Amino acid sequence: MAVTLAVRLGLAAAMPLVDDEAYYRLWSLRPDFGYFDHPPMIAWWIWAGRHIAGDNPLGIRLLPVLSLSLTTLVTFDIARLLDLGERVALRAAIWLNATLLVGVAGFLAVPDPPNALFWALAIWCALKAMRGPGAWWLAAGLAAGLACLSKYSALFLAPGMVLWLALSPQGRRALRTPWPWLAAVIAVAVYAPNVAWNAGHGWVTFDKQFGRARVEGFTPQFLLKLAFDQALLLNPLIALFVVLAVRRRLAWPLLAVSAPFALYLGFHALHDEVQGQWPAPLYPSLAICAAAAAEGATGWLARLRTAAPALGWIAGAVAFGWVLAPEQALPFRDPVLPLRGWPAFYGEAQRERLAAGAAWVGTTDYSLAAMLSLSPDKAPATEVIERPRFVFETPDERADFTRPGLVLEPRKATDLVDLAHCFASVTPQPALSRGLGSHPAVYEAFRVAGPLVDVERDGCPLAKR
């Protein structure tokens, strides 16, 4: 465990930030009870890490790295509390870290690590309550509330817990006591500040996230993509044992708690894409189920059980090696291009801005604006479409739209901004590129001046390609 933690801390310090991490870092500059995309937990974690280790990749990722070790310990003990045995518990802890989602991306400063930790802690506390003092339910409620402050997917914990309890005589007896219901009250109280924040901000996060559930068509191919993505991100060999566990109903309380969220993901995939990291809070439970299914395996299943962690670690080593290797001019698109070439791009963008006589840099993509915020160039970098994403900006950080600006737009963007609707003068500038080789990321550049609308308040409208 200590060696794994040390390796992750080193990788956290060495790897460049991904765009979402840069965006959540901006949140951490103004801690609050809510933001456009998510509840506030990851902003609080980044704020704390930056004050401990500095405003750098290690500081930004410090708490997610530490949380991954704690999640591993909790996973181990959940398996023990389910009476699966020390060997299965140890295998579950190892296999959790051998999944590609956790092993490769688990330390990133995004909402999933705190969500997974508090989800697992809620289950752990509930199991402790079932085996000992009912007051453990109060701790379960606290953990569930903190999970909801991490990501709204944790709202599925409540129906999952009720399903688990309703399916066993001991659980039904627990439901007849006040403890689980007091846990629900505590969870709601912990979560309430984010609800209050949304009420004061036009329910912006609720509209953003719960709007995903709206059905606007039937596209079942996303269900196949969900199955493929999770088979890959779980680690294909571990995924096989997850399937066996579901068929045999092993560690069934975890399957019951996971079922409502898993069913929602399947429903969502019938009409829209499920991003690969969304099931992250289920991974500790799935690792335990898989480890239980692997116990007693013989023949080829035993050989796959032995190979499972090695496959995850080798894949992780290859991924990290590729990211940390010096950038090369490749004949194909670099699979980690989003992490490449930023220092040179910052210099190119600054030179282009100064040549255009622009006072600020605008983008049509919030993640690009977040990455530009890491630039040594102190000119404001602002996103010009979804202005509510940046309500946390101070007046000094906002662009002065009465002065000329330089707007950057990814060349292959699905949506184009109708800049001519927003500015009286729109002049194309030389395109900028980021990354080496024949497939760099290319950004169209436009000098804009003379605002025709209140860009700060309303942003610019989109024009579909």
Side-chain angles (χ1 to χ4, degrees), residues 277-302:
Q277 76 276 12
W278 287 4
L282 303 182
Y283 271 49
S285 294
L286 295 178
I288 294 170
C289 293
E295 185 68 4
T298 59
W300 64 275
L301 280 176

mmCIF file with all atom_site columns, all heavy atoms in Angstrom, residues 277-302:
data_model
loop_
_atom_site.group_PDB
_atom_site.id
_atom_site.type_symbol
_atom_site.label_atom_id
_atom_site.label_alt_id
_atom_site.label_comp_id
_atom_site.label_asym_id
_atom_site.label_entity_id
_atom_site.label_seq_id
_atom_site.pdbx_PDB_ins_code
_atom_site.Cartn_x
_atom_site.Cartn_y
_atom_site.Cartn_z
_atom_site.occupancy
_atom_site.B_iso_or_equiv
_atom_site.pdbx_formal_charge
_atom_site.auth_seq_id
_atom_site.auth_comp_id
_atom_site.auth_asym_id
_atom_site.auth_atom_id
_atom_site.pdbx_PDB_model_num
ATOM 1   N N   . GLN A 1 277 ? -16.464 7.115   -17.068 1.00 0.00 ? 277 GLN A N   1
ATOM 2   C CA  . GLN A 1 277 ? -16.192 7.243   -15.640 1.00 0.00 ? 277 GLN A CA  1
ATOM 3   C C   . GLN A 1 277 ? -17.452 7.276   -14.792 1.00 0.00 ? 277 GLN A C   1
ATOM 4   O O   . GLN A 1 277 ? -17.357 7.207   -13.558 1.00 0.00 ? 277 GLN A O   1
ATOM 5   C CB  . GLN A 1 277 ? -15.353 8.501   -15.373 1.00 0.00 ? 277 GLN A CB  1
ATOM 6   C CG  . GLN A 1 277 ? -16.120 9.819   -15.438 1.00 0.00 ? 277 GLN A CG  1
ATOM 7   C CD  . GLN A 1 277 ? -16.259 10.371  -16.843 1.00 0.00 ? 277 GLN A CD  1
ATOM 8   O OE1 . GLN A 1 277 ? -15.981 9.667   -17.813 1.00 0.00 ? 277 GLN A OE1 1
ATOM 9   N NE2 . GLN A 1 277 ? -16.673 11.618  -16.966 1.00 0.00 ? 277 GLN A NE2 1
ATOM 10  N N   . TRP A 1 278 ? -18.618 7.380   -15.389 1.00 0.00 ? 278 TRP A N   1
ATOM 11  C CA  . TRP A 1 278 ? -19.831 7.513   -14.584 1.00 0.00 ? 278 TRP A CA  1
ATOM 12  C C   . TRP A 1 278 ? -20.031 6.363   -13.598 1.00 0.00 ? 278 TRP A C   1
ATOM 13  O O   . TRP A 1 278 ? -20.450 6.591   -12.461 1.00 0.00 ? 278 TRP A O   1
ATOM 14  C CB  . TRP A 1 278 ? -21.059 7.654   -15.480 1.00 0.00 ? 278 TRP A CB  1
ATOM 15  C CG  . TRP A 1 278 ? -21.165 8.983   -16.163 1.00 0.00 ? 278 TRP A CG  1
ATOM 16  C CD1 . TRP A 1 278 ? -20.266 10.013  -16.116 1.00 0.00 ? 278 TRP A CD1 1
ATOM 17  C CD2 . TRP A 1 278 ? -22.227 9.435   -17.010 1.00 0.00 ? 278 TRP A CD2 1
ATOM 18  N NE1 . TRP A 1 278 ? -20.690 11.074  -16.869 1.00 0.00 ? 278 TRP A NE1 1
ATOM 19  C CE2 . TRP A 1 278 ? -21.897 10.754  -17.448 1.00 0.00 ? 278 TRP A CE2 1
ATOM 20  C CE3 . TRP A 1 278 ? -23.407 8.868   -17.456 1.00 0.00 ? 278 TRP A CE3 1
ATOM 21  C CZ2 . TRP A 1 278 ? -22.723 11.483  -18.291 1.00 0.00 ? 278 TRP A CZ2 1
ATOM 22  C CZ3 . TRP A 1 278 ? -24.237 9.597   -18.309 1.00 0.00 ? 278 TRP A CZ3 1
ATOM 23  C CH2 . TRP A 1 278 ? -23.902 10.893  -18.711 1.00 0.00 ? 278 TRP A CH2 1
ATOM 24  N N   . PRO A 1 279 ? -19.766 5.096   -13.973 1.00 0.00 ? 279 PRO A N   1
ATOM 25  C CA  . PRO A 1 279 ? -19.984 4.002   -13.009 1.00 0.00 ? 279 PRO A CA  1
ATOM 26  C C   . PRO A 1 279 ? -18.916 3.899   -11.928 1.00 0.00 ? 279 PRO A C   1
ATOM 27  O O   . PRO A 1 279 ? -18.926 2.937   -11.157 1.00 0.00 ? 279 PRO A O   1
ATOM 28  C CB  . PRO A 1 279 ? -19.979 2.743   -13.899 1.00 0.00 ? 279 PRO A CB  1
ATOM 29  C CG  . PRO A 1 279 ? -20.169 3.223   -15.292 1.00 0.00 ? 279 PRO A CG  1
ATOM 30  C CD  . PRO A 1 279 ? -19.521 4.566   -15.328 1.00 0.00 ? 279 PRO A CD  1
ATOM 31  N N   . ALA A 1 280 ? -18.000 4.845   -11.822 1.00 0.00 ? 280 ALA A N   1
ATOM 32  C CA  . ALA A 1 280 ? -16.877 4.743   -10.884 1.00 0.00 ? 280 ALA A CA  1
ATOM 33  C C   . ALA A 1 280 ? -17.292 4.396   -9.454  1.00 0.00 ? 280 ALA A C   1
ATOM 34  O O   . ALA A 1 280 ? -16.614 3.583   -8.808  1.00 0.00 ? 280 ALA A O   1
ATOM 35  C CB  . ALA A 1 280 ? -16.065 6.040   -10.904 1.00 0.00 ? 280 ALA A CB  1
ATOM 36  N N   . PRO A 1 281 ? -18.389 4.948   -8.890  1.00 0.00 ? 281 PRO A N   1
ATOM 37  C CA  . PRO A 1 281 ? -18.712 4.602   -7.499  1.00 0.00 ? 281 PRO A CA  1
ATOM 38  C C   . PRO A 1 281 ? -19.086 3.137   -7.301  1.00 0.00 ? 281 PRO A C   1
ATOM 39  O O   . PRO A 1 281 ? -19.062 2.639   -6.172  1.00 0.00 ? 281 PRO A O   1
ATOM 40  C CB  . PRO A 1 281 ? -19.881 5.530   -7.157  1.00 0.00 ? 281 PRO A CB  1
ATOM 41  C CG  . PRO A 1 281 ? -20.469 5.918   -8.462  1.00 0.00 ? 281 PRO A CG  1
ATOM 42  C CD  . PRO A 1 281 ? -19.310 5.978   -9.412  1.00 0.00 ? 281 PRO A CD  1
ATOM 43  N N   . LEU A 1 282 ? -19.404 2.439   -8.395  1.00 0.00 ? 282 LEU A N   1
ATOM 44  C CA  . LEU A 1 282 ? -19.734 1.018   -8.293  1.00 0.00 ? 282 LEU A CA  1
ATOM 45  C C   . LEU A 1 282 ? -18.486 0.140   -8.281  1.00 0.00 ? 282 LEU A C   1
ATOM 46  O O   . LEU A 1 282 ? -18.579 -1.044  -7.957  1.00 0.00 ? 282 LEU A O   1
ATOM 47  C CB  . LEU A 1 282 ? -20.627 0.597   -9.465  1.00 0.00 ? 282 LEU A CB  1
ATOM 48  C CG  . LEU A 1 282 ? -21.941 1.360   -9.650  1.00 0.00 ? 282 LEU A CG  1
ATOM 49  C CD1 . LEU A 1 282 ? -22.726 0.785   -10.824 1.00 0.00 ? 282 LEU A CD1 1
ATOM 50  C CD2 . LEU A 1 282 ? -22.778 1.320   -8.383  1.00 0.00 ? 282 LEU A CD2 1
ATOM 51  N N   . TYR A 1 283 ? -17.334 0.687   -8.619  1.00 0.00 ? 283 TYR A N   1
ATOM 52  C CA  . TYR A 1 283 ? -16.152 -0.139  -8.804  1.00 0.00 ? 283 TYR A CA  1
ATOM 53  C C   . TYR A 1 283 ? -15.691 -0.862  -7.536  1.00 0.00 ? 283 TYR A C   1
ATOM 54  O O   . TYR A 1 283 ? -15.291 -2.029  -7.611  1.00 0.00 ? 283 TYR A O   1
ATOM 55  C CB  . TYR A 1 283 ? -15.022 0.691   -9.419  1.00 0.00 ? 283 TYR A CB  1
ATOM 56  C CG  . TYR A 1 283 ? -15.054 0.684   -10.929 1.00 0.00 ? 283 TYR A CG  1
ATOM 57  C CD1 . TYR A 1 283 ? -16.239 0.950   -11.626 1.00 0.00 ? 283 TYR A CD1 1
ATOM 58  C CD2 . TYR A 1 283 ? -13.929 0.390   -11.679 1.00 0.00 ? 283 TYR A CD2 1
ATOM 59  C CE1 . TYR A 1 283 ? -16.280 0.938   -13.007 1.00 0.00 ? 283 TYR A CE1 1
ATOM 60  C CE2 . TYR A 1 283 ? -13.963 0.373   -13.074 1.00 0.00 ? 283 TYR A CE2 1
ATOM 61  C CZ  . TYR A 1 283 ? -15.143 0.648   -13.733 1.00 0.00 ? 283 TYR A CZ  1
ATOM 62  O OH  . TYR A 1 283 ? -15.184 0.618   -15.096 1.00 0.00 ? 283 TYR A OH  1
ATOM 63  N N   . PRO A 1 284 ? -15.696 -0.247  -6.342  1.00 0.00 ? 284 PRO A N   1
ATOM 64  C CA  . PRO A 1 284 ? -15.348 -1.042  -5.155  1.00 0.00 ? 284 PRO A CA  1
ATOM 65  C C   . PRO A 1 284 ? -16.257 -2.256  -4.965  1.00 0.00 ? 284 PRO A C   1
ATOM 66  O O   . PRO A 1 284 ? -15.770 -3.356  -4.680  1.00 0.00 ? 284 PRO A O   1
ATOM 67  C CB  . PRO A 1 284 ? -15.500 -0.031  -4.014  1.00 0.00 ? 284 PRO A CB  1
ATOM 68  C CG  . PRO A 1 284 ? -15.218 1.291   -4.655  1.00 0.00 ? 284 PRO A CG  1
ATOM 69  C CD  . PRO A 1 284 ? -15.844 1.190   -6.014  1.00 0.00 ? 284 PRO A CD  1
ATOM 70  N N   . SER A 1 285 ? -17.555 -2.067  -5.152  1.00 0.00 ? 285 SER A N   1
ATOM 71  C CA  . SER A 1 285 ? -18.481 -3.193  -5.021  1.00 0.00 ? 285 SER A CA  1
ATOM 72  C C   . SER A 1 285 ? -18.232 -4.239  -6.098  1.00 0.00 ? 285 SER A C   1
ATOM 73  O O   . SER A 1 285 ? -18.250 -5.458  -5.831  1.00 0.00 ? 285 SER A O   1
ATOM 74  C CB  . SER A 1 285 ? -19.926 -2.698  -5.101  1.00 0.00 ? 285 SER A CB  1
ATOM 75  O OG  . SER A 1 285 ? -20.246 -1.873  -4.003  1.00 0.00 ? 285 SER A OG  1
ATOM 76  N N   . LEU A 1 286 ? -17.997 -3.789  -7.333  1.00 0.00 ? 286 LEU A N   1
ATOM 77  C CA  . LEU A 1 286 ? -17.759 -4.736  -8.418  1.00 0.00 ? 286 LEU A CA  1
ATOM 78  C C   . LEU A 1 286 ? -16.460 -5.501  -8.206  1.00 0.00 ? 286 LEU A C   1
ATOM 79  O O   . LEU A 1 286 ? -16.371 -6.692  -8.544  1.00 0.00 ? 286 LEU A O   1
ATOM 80  C CB  . LEU A 1 286 ? -17.737 -4.002  -9.756  1.00 0.00 ? 286 LEU A CB  1
ATOM 81  C CG  . LEU A 1 286 ? -19.059 -3.353  -10.181 1.00 0.00 ? 286 LEU A CG  1
ATOM 82  C CD1 . LEU A 1 286 ? -18.886 -2.623  -11.512 1.00 0.00 ? 286 LEU A CD1 1
ATOM 83  C CD2 . LEU A 1 286 ? -20.171 -4.385  -10.280 1.00 0.00 ? 286 LEU A CD2 1
ATOM 84  N N   . ALA A 1 287 ? -15.440 -4.838  -7.662  1.00 0.00 ? 287 ALA A N   1
ATOM 85  C CA  . ALA A 1 287 ? -14.184 -5.531  -7.383  1.00 0.00 ? 287 ALA A CA  1
ATOM 86  C C   . ALA A 1 287 ? -14.397 -6.627  -6.345  1.00 0.00 ? 287 ALA A C   1
ATOM 87  O O   . ALA A 1 287 ? -13.823 -7.727  -6.457  1.00 0.00 ? 287 ALA A O   1
ATOM 88  C CB  . ALA A 1 287 ? -13.131 -4.534  -6.899  1.00 0.00 ? 287 ALA A CB  1
ATOM 89  N N   . ILE A 1 288 ? -15.217 -6.356  -5.333  1.00 0.00 ? 288 ILE A N   1
ATOM 90  C CA  . ILE A 1 288 ? -15.508 -7.375  -4.317  1.00 0.00 ? 288 ILE A CA  1
ATOM 91  C C   . ILE A 1 288 ? -16.284 -8.538  -4.932  1.00 0.00 ? 288 ILE A C   1
ATOM 92  O O   . ILE A 1 288 ? -15.978 -9.720  -4.687  1.00 0.00 ? 288 ILE A O   1
ATOM 93  C CB  . ILE A 1 288 ? -16.298 -6.752  -3.156  1.00 0.00 ? 288 ILE A CB  1
ATOM 94  C CG1 . ILE A 1 288 ? -15.437 -5.725  -2.424  1.00 0.00 ? 288 ILE A CG1 1
ATOM 95  C CG2 . ILE A 1 288 ? -16.777 -7.830  -2.185  1.00 0.00 ? 288 ILE A CG2 1
ATOM 96  C CD1 . ILE A 1 288 ? -16.197 -4.881  -1.419  1.00 0.00 ? 288 ILE A CD1 1
ATOM 97  N N   . CYS A 1 289 ? -17.285 -8.232  -5.726  1.00 0.00 ? 289 CYS A N   1
ATOM 98  C CA  . CYS A 1 289 ? -18.070 -9.291  -6.372  1.00 0.00 ? 289 CYS A CA  1
ATOM 99  C C   . CYS A 1 289 ? -17.183 -10.158 -7.266  1.00 0.00 ? 289 CYS A C   1
ATOM 100 O O   . CYS A 1 289 ? -17.285 -11.394 -7.265  1.00 0.00 ? 289 CYS A O   1
ATOM 101 C CB  . CYS A 1 289 ? -19.201 -8.679  -7.187  1.00 0.00 ? 289 CYS A CB  1
ATOM 102 S SG  . CYS A 1 289 ? -20.479 -7.860  -6.196  1.00 0.00 ? 289 CYS A SG  1
ATOM 103 N N   . ALA A 1 290 ? -16.320 -9.517  -8.043  1.00 0.00 ? 290 ALA A N   1
ATOM 104 C CA  . ALA A 1 290 ? -15.426 -10.258 -8.922  1.00 0.00 ? 290 ALA A CA  1
ATOM 105 C C   . ALA A 1 290 ? -14.473 -11.128 -8.118  1.00 0.00 ? 290 ALA A C   1
ATOM 106 O O   . ALA A 1 290 ? -14.218 -12.297 -8.471  1.00 0.00 ? 290 ALA A O   1
ATOM 107 C CB  . ALA A 1 290 ? -14.647 -9.291  -9.810  1.00 0.00 ? 290 ALA A CB  1
ATOM 108 N N   . ALA A 1 291 ? -13.937 -10.576 -7.032  1.00 0.00 ? 291 ALA A N   1
ATOM 109 C CA  . ALA A 1 291 ? -13.016 -11.350 -6.202  1.00 0.00 ? 291 ALA A CA  1
ATOM 110 C C   . ALA A 1 291 ? -13.712 -12.558 -5.585  1.00 0.00 ? 291 ALA A C   1
ATOM 111 O O   . ALA A 1 291 ? -13.116 -13.640 -5.464  1.00 0.00 ? 291 ALA A O   1
ATOM 112 C CB  . ALA A 1 291 ? -12.431 -10.453 -5.112  1.00 0.00 ? 291 ALA A CB  1
ATOM 113 N N   . ALA A 1 292 ? -14.963 -12.394 -5.203  1.00 0.00 ? 292 ALA A N   1
ATOM 114 C CA  . ALA A 1 292 ? -15.719 -13.529 -4.656  1.00 0.00 ? 292 ALA A CA  1
ATOM 115 C C   . ALA A 1 292 ? -15.958 -14.593 -5.713  1.00 0.00 ? 292 ALA A C   1
ATOM 116 O O   . ALA A 1 292 ? -15.862 -15.798 -5.440  1.00 0.00 ? 292 ALA A O   1
ATOM 117 C CB  . ALA A 1 292 ? -17.045 -13.031 -4.084  1.00 0.00 ? 292 ALA A CB  1
ATOM 118 N N   . ALA A 1 293 ? -16.249 -14.175 -6.938  1.00 0.00 ? 293 ALA A N   1
ATOM 119 C CA  . ALA A 1 293 ? -16.488 -15.136 -8.015  1.00 0.00 ? 293 ALA A CA  1
ATOM 120 C C   . ALA A 1 293 ? -15.216 -15.891 -8.377  1.00 0.00 ? 293 ALA A C   1
ATOM 121 O O   . ALA A 1 293 ? -15.287 -17.030 -8.854  1.00 0.00 ? 293 ALA A O   1
ATOM 122 C CB  . ALA A 1 293 ? -17.035 -14.409 -9.242  1.00 0.00 ? 293 ALA A CB  1
ATOM 123 N N   . ALA A 1 294 ? -14.064 -15.266 -8.170  1.00 0.00 ? 294 ALA A N   1
ATOM 124 C CA  . ALA A 1 294 ? -12.801 -15.912 -8.519  1.00 0.00 ? 294 ALA A CA  1
ATOM 125 C C   . ALA A 1 294 ? -12.341 -16.913 -7.465  1.00 0.00 ? 294 ALA A C   1
ATOM 126 O O   . ALA A 1 294 ? -11.455 -17.726 -7.747  1.00 0.00 ? 294 ALA A O   1
ATOM 127 C CB  . ALA A 1 294 ? -11.717 -14.852 -8.716  1.00 0.00 ? 294 ALA A CB  1
ATOM 128 N N   . GLU A 1 295 ? -12.918 -16.860 -6.281  1.00 0.00 ? 295 GLU A N   1
ATOM 129 C CA  . GLU A 1 295 ? -12.515 -17.776 -5.225  1.00 0.00 ? 295 GLU A CA  1
ATOM 130 C C   . GLU A 1 295 ? -12.892 -19.209 -5.608  1.00 0.00 ? 295 GLU A C   1
ATOM 131 O O   . GLU A 1 295 ? -14.032 -19.482 -5.997  1.00 0.00 ? 295 GLU A O   1
ATOM 132 C CB  . GLU A 1 295 ? -13.177 -17.391 -3.896  1.00 0.00 ? 295 GLU A CB  1
ATOM 133 C CG  . GLU A 1 295 ? -12.742 -18.207 -2.712  1.00 0.00 ? 295 GLU A CG  1
ATOM 134 C CD  . GLU A 1 295 ? -11.289 -17.960 -2.328  1.00 0.00 ? 295 GLU A CD  1
ATOM 135 O OE1 . GLU A 1 295 ? -10.628 -17.087 -2.929  1.00 0.00 ? 295 GLU A OE1 1
ATOM 136 O OE2 . GLU A 1 295 ? -10.820 -18.641 -1.409  1.00 0.00 ? 295 GLU A OE2 1
ATOM 137 N N   . GLY A 1 296 ? -11.951 -20.095 -5.468  1.00 0.00 ? 296 GLY A N   1
ATOM 138 C CA  . GLY A 1 296 ? -12.202 -21.493 -5.804  1.00 0.00 ? 296 GLY A CA  1
ATOM 139 C C   . GLY A 1 296 ? -12.161 -21.806 -7.279  1.00 0.00 ? 296 GLY A C   1
ATOM 140 O O   . GLY A 1 296 ? -12.491 -22.931 -7.683  1.00 0.00 ? 296 GLY A O   1
ATOM 141 N N   . ALA A 1 297 ? -11.779 -20.844 -8.108  1.00 0.00 ? 297 ALA A N   1
ATOM 142 C CA  . ALA A 1 297 ? -11.710 -21.084 -9.552  1.00 0.00 ? 297 ALA A CA  1
ATOM 143 C C   . ALA A 1 297 ? -10.631 -22.125 -9.855  1.00 0.00 ? 297 ALA A C   1
ATOM 144 O O   . ALA A 1 297 ? -9.588  -22.185 -9.208  1.00 0.00 ? 297 ALA A O   1
ATOM 145 C CB  . ALA A 1 297 ? -11.407 -19.789 -10.292 1.00 0.00 ? 297 ALA A CB  1
ATOM 146 N N   . THR A 1 298 ? -10.896 -22.937 -10.850 1.00 0.00 ? 298 THR A N   1
ATOM 147 C CA  . THR A 1 298 ? -9.950  -23.966 -11.263 1.00 0.00 ? 298 THR A CA  1
ATOM 148 C C   . THR A 1 298 ? -9.731  -23.879 -12.770 1.00 0.00 ? 298 THR A C   1
ATOM 149 O O   . THR A 1 298 ? -10.467 -23.197 -13.485 1.00 0.00 ? 298 THR A O   1
ATOM 150 C CB  . THR A 1 298 ? -10.467 -25.369 -10.907 1.00 0.00 ? 298 THR A CB  1
ATOM 151 O OG1 . THR A 1 298 ? -11.743 -25.577 -11.568 1.00 0.00 ? 298 THR A OG1 1
ATOM 152 C CG2 . THR A 1 298 ? -10.646 -25.527 -9.406  1.00 0.00 ? 298 THR A CG2 1
ATOM 153 N N   . GLY A 1 299 ? -8.715  -24.558 -13.248 1.00 0.00 ? 299 GLY A N   1
ATOM 154 C CA  . GLY A 1 299 ? -8.480  -24.637 -14.683 1.00 0.00 ? 299 GLY A CA  1
ATOM 155 C C   . GLY A 1 299 ? -8.176  -23.283 -15.289 1.00 0.00 ? 299 GLY A C   1
ATOM 156 O O   . GLY A 1 299 ? -7.427  -22.470 -14.725 1.00 0.00 ? 299 GLY A O   1
ATOM 157 N N   . TRP A 1 300 ? -8.808  -23.005 -16.419 1.00 0.00 ? 300 TRP A N   1
ATOM 158 C CA  . TRP A 1 300 ? -8.515  -21.768 -17.136 1.00 0.00 ? 300 TRP A CA  1
ATOM 159 C C   . TRP A 1 300 ? -8.993  -20.539 -16.381 1.00 0.00 ? 300 TRP A C   1
ATOM 160 O O   . TRP A 1 300 ? -8.389  -19.464 -16.475 1.00 0.00 ? 300 TRP A O   1
ATOM 161 C CB  . TRP A 1 300 ? -9.120  -21.812 -18.539 1.00 0.00 ? 300 TRP A CB  1
ATOM 162 C CG  . TRP A 1 300 ? -10.625 -21.886 -18.579 1.00 0.00 ? 300 TRP A CG  1
ATOM 163 C CD1 . TRP A 1 300 ? -11.395 -23.000 -18.502 1.00 0.00 ? 300 TRP A CD1 1
ATOM 164 C CD2 . TRP A 1 300 ? -11.522 -20.784 -18.701 1.00 0.00 ? 300 TRP A CD2 1
ATOM 165 N NE1 . TRP A 1 300 ? -12.733 -22.670 -18.556 1.00 0.00 ? 300 TRP A NE1 1
ATOM 166 C CE2 . TRP A 1 300 ? -12.834 -21.307 -18.696 1.00 0.00 ? 300 TRP A CE2 1
ATOM 167 C CE3 . TRP A 1 300 ? -11.351 -19.407 -18.831 1.00 0.00 ? 300 TRP A CE3 1
ATOM 168 C CZ2 . TRP A 1 300 ? -13.958 -20.505 -18.799 1.00 0.00 ? 300 TRP A CZ2 1
ATOM 169 C CZ3 . TRP A 1 300 ? -12.477 -18.607 -18.932 1.00 0.00 ? 300 TRP A CZ3 1
ATOM 170 C CH2 . TRP A 1 300 ? -13.760 -19.149 -18.919 1.00 0.00 ? 300 TRP A CH2 1
ATOM 171 N N   . LEU A 1 301 ? -10.050 -20.696 -15.562 1.00 0.00 ? 301 LEU A N   1
ATOM 172 C CA  . LEU A 1 301 ? -10.497 -19.559 -14.757 1.00 0.00 ? 301 LEU A CA  1
ATOM 173 C C   . LEU A 1 301 ? -9.450  -19.194 -13.703 1.00 0.00 ? 301 LEU A C   1
ATOM 174 O O   . LEU A 1 301 ? -9.230  -18.021 -13.402 1.00 0.00 ? 301 LEU A O   1
ATOM 175 C CB  . LEU A 1 301 ? -11.824 -19.869 -14.081 1.00 0.00 ? 301 LEU A CB  1
ATOM 176 C CG  . LEU A 1 301 ? -13.086 -19.738 -14.948 1.00 0.00 ? 301 LEU A CG  1
ATOM 177 C CD1 . LEU A 1 301 ? -14.308 -20.166 -14.159 1.00 0.00 ? 301 LEU A CD1 1
ATOM 178 C CD2 . LEU A 1 301 ? -13.248 -18.308 -15.449 1.00 0.00 ? 301 LEU A CD2 1
ATOM 179 N N   . ALA A 1 302 ? -8.798  -20.209 -13.148 1.00 0.00 ? 302 ALA A N   1
ATOM 180 C CA  . ALA A 1 302 ? -7.739  -19.935 -12.178 1.00 0.00 ? 302 ALA A CA  1
ATOM 181 C C   . ALA A 1 302 ? -6.576  -19.216 -12.839 1.00 0.00 ? 302 ALA A C   1
ATOM 182 O O   . ALA A 1 302 ? -5.969  -18.313 -12.234 1.00 0.00 ? 302 ALA A O   1
ATOM 183 C CB  . ALA A 1 302 ? -7.261  -21.239 -11.546 1.00 0.00 ? 302 ALA A CB  1
#
